[in-house]
Amino acid sequence: MKIGFIGLGNMGAPMAANLAAAGHRVAGFDVAGATATGVTAAATAAEAAAGVDVVITMLPNGDILRQVAAQVIPAMDAGALLLDCSTVDVDSARAVADLAQASGCLAVDAPVSGGIGGAAAGTLTFMAGGSDAGFSKAEPLFDIMGQKAVHCGDAGAGQAAKICNNMILGVTMIATCEAFALADKLGLDRQKMFDVVSTSSGYSWTMNAYCPAPGVGPQSPADNGYEPGFAAELMLKDLGLSQQAAQSADADTPMGQLAMALYQTFVEHEDGKGRDFSAMLPRFMARTRG
Ligand code: NAD
């Protein structure tokens, strides 16, 4: 296929390189002048989008996605697919899909999980929203960039799945960290705490697979000085998107709201920026109830 790839950052560059390595003709554009292995540099986003089968975007947020979509959609052929893999708000995903459809293009929102490691290894998970025709067109590309793709529903459904999942993740990480901090103060050995909880009703991905206590459970960022991993500021971004969606859909999400407030304080006023999101554990350890 001929592919235009817009946004060659930490995630986009390795994803574009994997598509080129698999034999697709990829033209890339990034405002910062970034490039990717095997990818031809285009002078503008519109140039990367002209005459291609699929335009992929991997951008920081919904406002930038809307700007880029307004530039690329008029340049795209009818029937071409706009595949947005960024994590953005549901409203922007739906607005961009409407714009694409109005000019005869297909649109799929397909945010990812798996991080920079998954992007480089081609093992991302895609959560996709859009028509069957759009999903089918994207599927061979999902197979190259990832190991799993779930078609979640119509436009915006991929973003909805991503932010609901990450809201659970943020809330659960905080619950796991505050429970470890309480266990410490009660004199409970961390390994015993792990042995019990990881096989009892308090188990979760944050306890069993990504334990925030160093030296306990499988290897995780806690064993590497809380180097991300998944940075606290990215968790804050996703919790912000879930709260924006909850506001827009009139959903009551008090735990998500509190998790966002805690990560906001952690990132903006404590030492959370640049640390893994599991560094909430030392944060709770350093605090008292009063
Ligand atoms: P990044 O900041 O490294 O990359 C974004 C790129 O977009 C940058 O290179 C930037 O120059 C470029 N860009 C900005 N405005 C542009 C424009 N108008 N035209 C063209 N290019 C433009 O971010 P990233 O880590 O690659 O993340 C990309 C997206 O993936 C985000 O939405 C993020 O939330 C999501 N995501 C990231 C991770 C992760 O671990 N990094 C994991 C899952 C999802």
Side-chain angles (χ1 to χ4, degrees):
M1 278 193 217
K2 284 200 248 171
I3 299 169
F5 206 115
I6 322 281
L8 300 168
N10 290 321
M11 297 290 289
M15 291 164 71
N18 283 338
L19 293 171
H24 294 292
R25 280 170 54 192
V26 187
F29 175 74
D30 190 297
V31 271
T35 55
T37 311
V39 172
T40 314
T44 62
E47 187 183 302
V52 300
D53 303 293
V54 181
V55 175
I56 303 179
T57 47
M58 196 53 173
L59 296 163
N61 60 50
D63 287 342
I64 293 176
L65 171 66
R66 286 177 193 244
Q67 283 167 29
V68 169
Q71 293 162 16
V72 298
I73 290 170
M76 288 169 66
D77 290 347
L81 167 66
L82 179 59
L83 176 61
D84 176 46
C85 297
S86 331
T87 304
V88 303
D89 58 286
V90 175
D91 292 341
S92 292
R94 290 188 175 145
V96 163
D98 286 346
L99 200 64
Q101 277 151 21
S103 74
C105 296
L106 300 167
V108 170
D109 54 287
V112 303
S113 91
I116 297 165
T123 56
L124 295 167
T125 295
F126 291 86
M127 295 147 249
S131 64
D132 288 339
F135 184 79
S136 301
K137 192 157 188 166
E139 242 177 338
L141 306 183
F142 292 149
D143 288 344
I144 294 164
M145 297 185 285
Q147 61 184 356
K148 188 176 167 70
V150 179
H151 190 183
C152 300
D154 294 337
Q159 299 295 349
K162 165 94 185 173
I163 60 176
C164 288
N165 179 75
N166 281 20
M167 186 172 79
I168 296 171
L169 178 64
V171 168
T172 317
M173 178 56 84
I174 288 171
T176 303
C177 290
E178 70 180 26
F180 263 117
L182 172 61
D184 284 351
K185 292 199 173 172
L186 296 174
L188 178 60
D189 179 73
R190 284 184 169 180
Q191 184 63 49
K192 301 295 180 200
M193 164 88 171
F194 177 83
D195 291 346
V196 171
V197 175
S198 66
T199 53
S200 299
S201 46
Y203 85 89
S204 64
W205 185 84
T206 58
M207 175 61 81
N208 293 37
Y210 202 94
C211 184
V216 176
Q219 276 282 320
S220 70
D223 300 307
N224 191 27
Y226 296 100
E227 288 273 312
F230 185 45
E233 57 267 32
L234 290 179
M235 174 49 80
L236 176 59
K237 173 190 171 181
D238 292 357
L239 288 167
L241 291 175
S242 67
Q243 287 314 294
Q244 199 179 330
Q247 179 100 39
S248 168
D250 195 20
D252 187 25
T253 55
M255 301 297 282
Q257 195 171 6
L258 186 53
M260 186 185 84
L262 283 163
Y263 273 106
Q264 189 154 22
T265 305
F266 187 48
V267 167
E268 292 175 6
H269 304 295
E270 300 169 346
D271 65 346
K273 194 165 195 306
R275 305 186 81 194
D276 189 73
F277 82 122
S278 61
M280 273 282 170
L281 174 53
R283 180 223 180 250
F284 276 112
M285 284 159 56
R287 296 172 71 88
T288 60
R289 192 172 177 79

